[in-house]
Amino acid sequence: MMLKAVYTDTDDLDPTAGIERLTAAGFEVLYLQTHDAEEIVAAAADADALLLGYAPITSGMLAKMEKLQIISLLSTGYDNIDISAATALEICVSNIGATSAEEVAIHALALTLSITRGIETYREVSARREWFKTPYPFIPPRLSTKKIGVVGFGNIGSQFAKIAQPLFESVSFYDPMIMLGVVINGIESKSLDNLLEDSDVISLHLPLLPETHHLFNEKTFAKMKKSSVIINVSRGGLIDPAALVRALDSGQLSAAGLDVLESEPPAIDDPLLTHSRVLITPHVAFLSEYSMSAYIEVQAENILQWFSGKEVKNCVNGIKVKK
Ligand code: NAD
């Protein structure tokens, strides 16, 4: 019998290459471009595979998709799926692995450098034609005297650390999966508290999980070095946004560079959108000419691997094909 694969949504990415690959492999393919739970369940009630963008998938929805064997994501983060429900139902959840690690790491560095060099401030000065403006509205620190702390040392965090290392005095990291005190290519593993107390810039590269939700809150910000900078290209839910605004307003943090917000798209009156100490981009850290097509290819490839009985290397919940 023909296998059925349903795409929920691919945002701005063109799914044609993925649809063609799956169709050529004998799948019946449906493309919905929706986040609507009822529409997804109606179309995928008899689906064998779900290709997911950013639509939320709850345990209730999974229970109604009885034939589902695999959910293949168009992202690295899998916080829009009830992963424990999928695991209990033995549904493999796969992501796109390290496909955009280079792009995201460079984006985090770009935000860091723009903030620490005052690029936005001086762009505004030039646009106002105040060429020789003194006193200087912003005097950048010397980067080789500043320390970077990386929270989460996986694909993206380790690449970010590697490219930031030559520019800064030191780079250290915290990752609960790596022993304290271990030094990897000159980059030392520290406790989270030590990292927060010591770093001039903290960059987040960890997943959003129930236990990491609002990990950065009033208490965490209070532990950070006075006037330090936070960079978040991971998931908005890692930061309590109201606490971030207070930390910026009080000067505890000097600036934030954000590619992600707790709610996306943000409310029109989200104070972080227009805050003078926030440099913000609209969830584009992954974006490049390469990643736009590679995301679609890898997502479809995960499905093909699964149904050819191979181990899906990007399966994040460890479910294996039943032989
Ligand atoms: P990864 O799985 O390779 O690495 C994540 C690391 O975080 C792991 O080493 C893990 O041990 C660590 N970690 C888990 N819990 C932690 C905690 N409580 N504190 C510190 N570290 C913890 O993932 P990755 O490919 O490096 O991606 C990281 C995140 O980046 C993703 O979860 C995703 O949300 C985000 N992302 C964003 C974009 C974008 O366009 N903005 C694109 C891709 C990925």
Side-chain angles (χ1 to χ4, degrees):
M1 214 171 82
M2 205 179 207
L3 293 165
K4 180 172 173 182
V6 175
Y7 279 86
T8 59
D9 57 306
T10 56
D11 277 335
D12 268 358
L13 302 188
D14 177 359
T16 309
I19 294 173
E20 281 175 1
R21 283 195 72 180
L22 292 170
T23 309
F27 283 80
E28 174 197 352
V29 183
L30 278 188
Y31 179 68
L32 306 176
Q33 192 63 321
T34 184
H35 286 193
D36 185 79
E38 278 184 22
E39 254 184 81
I40 294 170
V41 169
D46 59 347
D48 303 279
L50 198 65
L51 294 100
L52 187 66
Y54 289 108
I57 302 293
T58 62
S59 58
M61 291 168 75
L62 290 173
K64 292 178 189 151
M65 298 187 269
E66 288 178 2
K67 285 180 70 192
L68 208 56
Q69 296 186 41
I70 178 167
I71 301 175
S72 183
L73 280 148
L74 196 55
S75 58
T76 314
Y78 42 87
D79 41 278
N80 50 331
I81 298 184
D82 186 330
I83 191 98
S84 43
T87 307
L89 292 165
E90 297 189 31
I91 298 169
C92 163
V93 176
S94 63
N95 69 1
I96 48 89
T99 307
S100 65
E102 174 181 327
E103 283 78 1
V104 183
I106 290 175
H107 199 85
L109 185 64
L111 291 174
T112 306
L113 296 180
S114 299
I115 287 172
T116 50
R117 289 299 306 166
I119 299 296
E120 187 71 5
T121 304
Y122 284 108
R123 193 192 69 81
E124 283 165 15
V125 166
S126 327
R128 289 198 302 269
R129 294 172 170 71
E130 295 173 344
W131 197 258
F132 292 112
K133 180 162 173 62
T134 52
Y136 293 114
F138 176 73
I139 302 181
R142 183 167 231 213
L143 290 195
S144 60
T145 66
K146 297 294 168 188
K147 296 177 180 169
I148 293 230
V150 180
V151 185
F153 202 65
N155 290 320
I156 298 171
S158 58
Q159 275 218 39
F160 170 76
K162 188 176 158 196
I163 57 175
Q165 197 177 24
L167 307 178
F168 291 83
E169 180 184 333
S170 68
V171 183
S172 310
F173 71 93
Y174 164 69
D175 191 307
M177 299 307 285
I178 301 176
M179 262 175 35
L180 295 185
V182 168
V183 180
I184 302 171
N185 299 325
I187 302 162
E188 189 185 352
S189 164
K190 292 184 174 173
S191 71
L192 182 58
D193 280 359
N194 276 346
L195 200 74
L196 297 175
E197 287 156 12
D198 244 29
S199 305
D200 300 285
V201 177
I202 288 283
S203 192
L204 308 188
H205 300 285
L206 66 159
L208 176 61
L209 305 166
E211 59 272 27
T212 59
H213 178 254
H214 287 192
L215 180 65
F216 283 77
N217 54 42
E218 201 91 52
K219 279 193 191 150
T220 333
F221 291 136
K223 288 179 187 166
M224 285 173 67
K225 214 171 177 177
K226 177 98 180 144
S227 302
S228 55
V229 172
I230 191 159
I231 303 292
N232 186 11
V233 295
S234 283
R235 283 292 180 267
L238 295 169
I239 295 181
D240 173 348
L244 176 59
V245 170
R246 286 195 292 276
L248 291 165
D249 288 345
S250 70
Q252 172 60 15
L253 296 188
S254 65
L258 308 174
D259 183 56
V260 285
L261 290 172
E262 178 149 55
S263 152
E264 295 181 10
I268 200 147
D269 59 349
D270 186 326
L272 290 169
L273 283 178
T274 49
H275 199 288
S276 61
R277 290 164 181 253
V278 177
L279 179 58
I280 198 156
T281 52
H283 205 144
V284 289
F286 72 97
L287 195 61
S288 72
E289 290 163 356
Y290 166 79
S291 67
M292 282 184 89
S293 57
Y295 265 43
I296 293 291
E297 291 283 352
V298 173
Q299 185 190 33
E301 180 60 31
N302 287 337
I303 303 277
L304 295 176
Q305 277 178 5
W306 176 269
F307 286 101
S308 64
K310 290 187 198 137
E311 194 174 325
V312 179
K313 75 172 172 13
N314 295 324
C315 183
V316 295
N317 62 344
I319 301 294
K320 297 208 172 10
V321 182
K322 287 197 191 86
K323 299 281 179 194

